[in-house]
Amino acid sequence: MAIVAETSKFSRFAWPVLAWGVALIFFFPIFWMVLTSFKTDADAVKPEFLFSFTPTLENYANMTQNYDYWRFATNSVITSVSATLLTLVVGVPCAYAMAFNPSRGTKDILMWMLSTKMLPAAAVLYPMIFLAKGLGIYDTHFLVIMVLCLINLPIVIWMLFTYFKDIPKDIIEAGKMDGLNTWGEVREILIPLAWGGIASTALLAFIFCWNEAYWTVRLTTIDAATLSKLIEGNRAPEGLFFGRLSAVSTAAVGPIVVLGWFCQKQLVQGLTFGAVK
Amino acid sequence: MGRIALEKVNKVFGDVEVIPPLDLTIDDGEFVVFVGPSGCGKSTLLRMIAGLEDLTAGAIQIDGEDVTEVPPSKRGLAMVFQSYALYPHMSVRKNIAFPMRMAGVDEATQNAKIDAAAKSLNLTDYLDRKPGQLSGGQRQRVAIGRAIVREPAAFLFDEPLSNLDAALRVGMRLEIMELHKKLETTMIYVTHDQVEAMTMADKIVVLQAGVIEQVGSPLELYHAPRNKFVAGFIGSPKMNLIEGPEAAKHDATTIGIRPEHLTVSKTKGTWKGRVGVAEHLGSDTFIHVHDTGLMDMMTVRISGDIEARHGDTIYLTPSADQIHRFDAQGLRIA
């Protein structure tokens, strides 16, 4: 008994300390970035202690006045929201079909979808650029939305498929007996039951879209440029201006951090889904 | 009305013929039980009637109308699933209302039917609860309620009691039988439990590997099993099946004698053996007898309590008129 008591006492203190330690290590770069965004470029590279600086909003003012932050932010919102919605519109029926009416090829199709994620993006960069330019859609919202949708579809379908698989087939069949057509099954049963899973998938897809940099940087110039492009644009030939860069980065990740914070519960609920049986 | 006719109904999954072409007629108001071991195709057959499984060939008629291509909800059938299959996000009331809402029944009628169903199923106090807050028996009653309000031509039950504990199962069995007497609607009931089949059915359909082995009333199956499989499957404890010289004496390849048709003596009898395990149920005693030289283990059912110690020598005598004879193909010899 004594041993049990001691173990639980140890774990009661050790685990929280460990958890906090790990959390702080992960959080530190973000904290550093936010802190640096309030420093002048000169202060930012000073070798002195982290906190020895005079706080300034100069970087933020500069960002909104000289770099047109809001245009980039608007583009990010438009492309991320549209791409997420489009991904769900395609992904939900697709995952539904595979979860409830699987055929012999379903497993292969799932693998094939996942395999597209294994292709190095650089391998198709030039074909994509030529294609986009040839079709006259280079640097348009349409192109960015399509690309974001396509790169997220495999993971979205996989996630939704997993959530839908958790719904007992009997419930869908009971719905069929009770008079539901396919759309009715999705509306009356699937969406209400898999809501947590769909929401967390959507959130994750949105985060991926928002953070995507490889394609958004290369397929846009001005009109459809997103926040990733803005950050990238701050890489000046004279070197890196850490203060400015930090402000831009903070403003770019800010919205997503806030969103994630508010949706924590939904995310956790979605990822631990499976309690409908 | 609920007369269901299956004509040359056939189901093939890939290379496997789950149900070879099969004919069956179920009369209006009948309580029919499909019984057979796991994987015999009884659930598949029920699901084909429900419309949840396509037919590879053949046709299904309900009240003379071909419904082979008709979707499940348009066949006028209601199904009760083993897992209950309630909608977990809806209250009991909404669950029961659901099929009526889908059919566009007006709200007043819906409420009247829900209240009547809830009253007859003792669910009135639970109407506002979610399925997750109910016990297994209550959930099953909700599932039945959801079926009743549709006023179907026939009820389909897919092993509805398998998830319940033994005591509840007996209670629900009676409730379903009561319901059948009250509604006089056709019911098709799938189970692997031959006791359920015997106690509930007007007509039992015994299936093995997708083939109908016999169709008949419980007592027909008990008294005159068409073949060895039915003989061994119907009745509890199982019929003793004896092969070899002892069977040859009766001009048969196999003879069968039910445990209750053997008498026991400590001094003399036809067959001699040694007591293995005796199960005392109070009303009956089941004695498992070894070393008879006829089969691995014979089972005897003696009414009342009888003293039988492990290892005791025991003599068994079959009632001559209760011996079932089967030929080399396993078919009954009349």
Side-chain angles (χ1 to χ4, degrees):
Chain A
M1 286 306 283
I3 297 169
V4 174
E6 264 168 43
T7 324
S8 67
K9 199 187 265 177
F10 171 78
S11 54
R12 220 173 46 224
F13 290 102
W15 283 116
V17 169
L18 195 68
W20 274 98
V22 171
L24 283 176
I25 290 172
F26 277 106
F27 178 67
F28 184 73
I30 295 174
F31 172 70
W32 196 1
M33 178 183 77
V34 175
L35 203 64
T36 310
S37 73
F38 293 106
K39 297 178 183 179
T40 59
D41 285 327
D43 271 344
V45 288
K46 267 203 302 199
E48 278 93 28
F49 186 60
L50 213 55
F51 293 105
S52 72
F53 67 97
T54 329
T56 170
L57 288 172
E58 182 194 322
N59 294 321
Y60 286 98
N62 186 28
M63 179 182 82
T64 43
Q65 282 154 22
N66 299 347
Y67 295 127
D68 206 357
Y69 167 82
W70 293 111
R71 190 165 50 83
F72 290 97
T74 311
N75 282 341
S76 271
V77 171
I78 292 172
T79 53
S80 300
V81 170
S82 311
T84 304
L85 289 177
L86 184 62
T87 312
L88 286 179
V89 166
V90 178
V92 169
C94 183
Y96 164 84
M98 288 196 288
F100 295 108
N101 299 298
S103 70
R104 276 193 223 175
T106 298
K107 270 199 175 145
D108 298 331
I109 293 176
L110 278 167
M111 266 328 284
W112 167 72
M113 285 190 205
L114 204 63
S115 73
T116 60
K117 296 293 281 182
M118 298 171 197
L119 177 79
V124 287
L125 175 62
Y126 283 103
M128 281 294 284
I129 290 177
F130 287 134
L131 206 61
K133 288 195 167 160
L135 291 170
I137 53 171
Y138 186 81
D139 194 21
T140 58
H141 288 147
F142 174 77
L143 176 66
V144 177
I145 291 166
M146 289 310 284
V147 168
L148 290 178
C149 173
L150 288 173
I151 56 179
N152 280 326
L153 255 181
I155 202 86
V156 163
I157 291 173
W158 264 83
M159 278 183 75
L160 291 173
F161 176 76
T162 320
Y163 293 125
F164 292 173
K165 270 296 219 201
D166 268 357
I167 296 176
K169 204 177 175 210
D170 283 357
I171 296 183
I172 299 280
E173 292 186 335
K176 273 193 176 72
M177 294 295 295
D178 284 345
L180 288 177
N181 55 21
T182 307
W183 168 235
E185 285 162 30
V186 172
R187 192 190 57 223
E188 297 279 347
I189 300 175
L190 197 72
I191 292 179
L193 286 185
W195 178 240
I198 294 173
S200 55
T201 306
L203 195 60
L204 211 62
F206 181 78
I207 293 171
F208 286 160
C209 290
W210 187 275
N211 293 346
E212 211 289 323
Y214 185 86
W215 292 107
T216 46
V217 164
R218 285 166 178 80
L219 295 177
T220 61
T221 47
I222 300 167
D223 292 345
T226 63
L227 286 169
S228 306
K229 185 86 178 174
L230 176 64
I231 297 175
E232 205 260 352
N234 270 271
R235 205 165 38 109
E238 311 90 75
L240 292 172
F241 295 97
F242 283 108
R244 247 187 270 169
L245 202 55
S246 296
V248 171
S249 302
T250 304
V253 300
I256 213 79
V257 170
V258 173
L259 181 73
W261 181 265
F262 281 111
C263 298
Q264 259 187 88
K265 201 178 136 204
Q266 195 62 259
L267 261 177
V268 173
Q269 202 180 23
L271 296 172
T272 54
F273 178 72
V276 289
K277 279 175 206 171
Chain B
M1 286 291 283
R3 185 175 185 281
I4 299 169
L6 311 184
E7 286 164 17
K8 300 268 175 293
V9 161
N10 172 231
K11 180 73 188 178
V12 180
F13 281 122
D15 305 329
V16 186
E17 188 168 51
V18 190
I19 307 216
L22 169 155
D23 292 295
L24 181 69
T25 306
I26 293 158
D27 284 324
D28 184 38
E30 247 183 345
F31 196 118
V32 176
V33 175
F34 292 173
V35 69
S38 305
C40 70
K42 55 192 188 294
S43 281
T44 307
L45 195 59
L46 188 79
R47 292 166 55 79
M48 284 158 81
I49 297 172
L52 295 172
E53 208 78 67
D54 292 333
L55 274 64
T56 307
I60 296 176
Q61 289 186 353
I62 298 177
D63 292 329
E65 192 190 330
D66 190 327
V67 295
T68 316
E69 300 297 329
V70 175
S73 63
K74 300 276 181 340
R75 297 188 180 195
L77 306 173
M79 183 142 161
V80 176
F81 294 81
Q82 180 180 351
S83 62
Y84 323 127
L86 300 176
Y87 308 117
H89 55 300
M90 297 180 196
S91 66
V92 169
R93 177 180 288 280
K94 286 193 170 148
N95 261 284
I96 299 177
F98 194 78
M100 295 189 283
R101 179 156 72 83
M102 288 302 112
V105 175
D106 67 89
E107 211 153 315
T109 317
Q110 279 186 31
N111 285 331
K113 282 192 181 178
I114 293 167
D115 290 340
K119 202 173 158 211
S120 74
L121 292 163
N122 285 326
L123 288 169
T124 309
D125 294 340
Y126 306 101
L127 281 175
D128 296 318
R129 294 207 193 165
K130 293 267 174 72
Q133 299 166 297
L134 302 178
S135 70
Q138 288 166 338
R139 286 184 213 185
Q140 194 55 284
R141 280 206 285 267
V142 176
I144 292 172
R146 189 172 65 182
I148 291 175
V149 295
R150 296 187 54 187
E151 295 174 358
F155 288 90
L156 311 178
F157 292 94
D158 190 4
E159 307 222 18
L161 308 184
S162 300
N163 287 1
L164 300 178
D165 62 54
L168 256 170
R169 205 154 25 186
V170 175
M172 281 305 292
R173 201 163 80 191
L174 291 174
E175 281 188 41
I176 293 174
M177 287 155 74
E178 291 281 354
L179 189 70
H180 180 242
K181 296 273 177 284
K182 201 169 83 189
L183 300 176
E184 294 179 337
T185 309
T186 310
M187 290 188 179
I188 306 178
Y189 188 104
V190 164
T191 179
H192 61 269
D193 180 350
Q194 60 92 23
V195 177
E196 268 176 29
M198 291 295 281
T199 51
M200 300 176 89
D202 294 326
K203 184 156 98 183
I204 297 179
V205 178
V206 184
L207 287 147
Q208 189 197 201
V211 176
I212 294 181
E213 297 287 348
Q214 189 167 2
V215 180
S217 73
L219 291 181
E220 272 167 29
L221 266 56
Y222 177 84
H223 290 300
R226 206 176 66 87
N227 56 29
K228 251 167 51 180
F229 177 80
V230 177
F233 194 81
I234 296 291
S236 175
K238 273 183 177 350
M239 182 188 280
N240 299 295
L241 292 169
I242 300 163
E243 290 171 358
E246 196 61 36
K249 281 186 203 167
H250 294 87
D251 296 324
T253 312
T254 309
I255 55 167
I257 181 80
R258 293 201 183 274
E260 50 273 39
H261 298 143
L262 286 162
T263 49
V264 166
S265 162
K266 291 201 169 168
T267 50
K268 59 179 187 341
T270 316
W271 300 321
K272 183 183 166 189
R274 197 169 46 75
V275 174
V277 173
E279 297 174 275
H280 298 277
L281 303 179
S283 58
D284 292 297
T285 307
F286 299 160
I287 306 171
H288 302 282
V289 182
H290 296 280
D291 301 332
T292 52
L294 305 167
M295 57 188 291
D296 278 351
M297 186 185 75
M298 276 181 94
T299 310
V300 188
R301 178 182 195 157
I302 307 294
S303 136
D305 203 9
I306 177 175
E307 198 183 324
R309 268 196 303 270
H310 183 82
D312 282 358
T313 300
I314 198 170
Y315 293 90
L316 309 174
T317 308
S319 330
D321 58 344
Q322 296 288 358
I323 292 176
H324 303 265
R325 300 184 306 139
F326 303 98
D327 65 17
Q329 279 77 48
L331 292 176
R332 182 180 189 81
I333 304 169

